[in-house]
Amino acid sequence: MTLSAADFSFVATLVRKEASIVLAPGKEYLVEARLIPVARQVGAASVAEFLNELQRRPNAANQRRIVDALTTNETSWFRDREPFNALTDVVLPELVKSRGANRRVRVWSAASSSGQEAYSLAITLVENLPTGWSYEIIGSDISTEMINRAETAEYSQVEVNRGLPAAQLVQYFERAGAHWRVAPSLRRNVSFKLMNLTAPLPPMPPFDVIFLRNVLIYFDVATKKSVLRNVARLLRPDGWLFLGAAETTIGIDDNYERVAAGRTSAYRIRTAAPAGAARRG
């Protein structure tokens, strides 16, 4: 049984208000499938019963459960490998030259889901920064459940099989019963924050690299502009922004320019992009 138009409208309005995610008509099946476990968790006989009760008696915790359930959390280790290759081959060599005074790199995984991207970034920095350099990685997500999972840093065998090379699994993880836990040596420079990218962002020192991948595709143009403007304030003038393969700043925010970064593209603040960078738009 699919959701009624009224129930779908209620959920779409809630998710748009809390997360700026647009649920267009035709997503009723997806919404119901995502909410079935939530309804069971709170003891409702069906999604319709759960939503009807929530509309009669608003409950912040259950509203949060809906937002968490409908926030896409698809992720894997070193997902879409080319941005990580670009970080290794292009970005870090440049940062090593320009950050020699403090020998420190700050990276933001802006939609870190359950933490795989943030820890993949940590592995990349550990393996490619010169001796004596330090790093800090901040992971953020709108889902409380995902932040909790990322902080726990524990993953099933199925999860570690998704993109994590065996050599790095052995080197950077420890056995935790049937699961694998990220080793303390890797975790100590990685932290996570609950954050809504469409709301005013908390004060943070600027970042050298920001991964904002596969997020903008869920927003309308006005929200994309707002997010990119907010992100620009946290990106160093000569920093690097990586978006998803299907995302771009072109036609949305002219303060960025797209540059070649290995076999992929990155975005830089237009006035600060180096004269020799290969521009793509």
Side-chain angles (χ1 to χ4, degrees), residues 3-13 51-52 55:
L3 291 181
S4 69
D7 284 347
F8 179 77
S9 176
F10 168 74
V11 172
T13 300
L51 294 176
N52 289 338
Q55 291 175 75

Side-chain angles (χ1 to χ4, degrees), residues 149-213:
R149 285 212 60 214
E151 290 178 332
T152 302
E154 206 169 284
Y155 301 95
S156 68
Q157 187 68 53
V158 171
E159 288 173 316
V160 298
N161 284 346
R162 297 193 64 200
L164 185 64
Q168 291 171 325
L169 173 63
V170 172
Q171 184 172 358
Y172 299 109
F173 289 74
E174 303 170 340
R175 271 289 188 184
H179 290 182
W180 293 88
R181 183 182 299 122
V182 179
S185 59
L186 196 68
R187 293 174 62 183
R188 62 172 168 246
N189 294 322
V190 184
S191 60
F192 295 91
K193 297 178 181 289
L194 185 67
M195 201 180 302
N196 183 346
L197 297 174
T198 68
L201 299 178
M204 293 186 287
F207 294 92
D208 301 297
V209 181
I210 298 176
F211 271 45
L212 179 71
R213 303 194 301 148

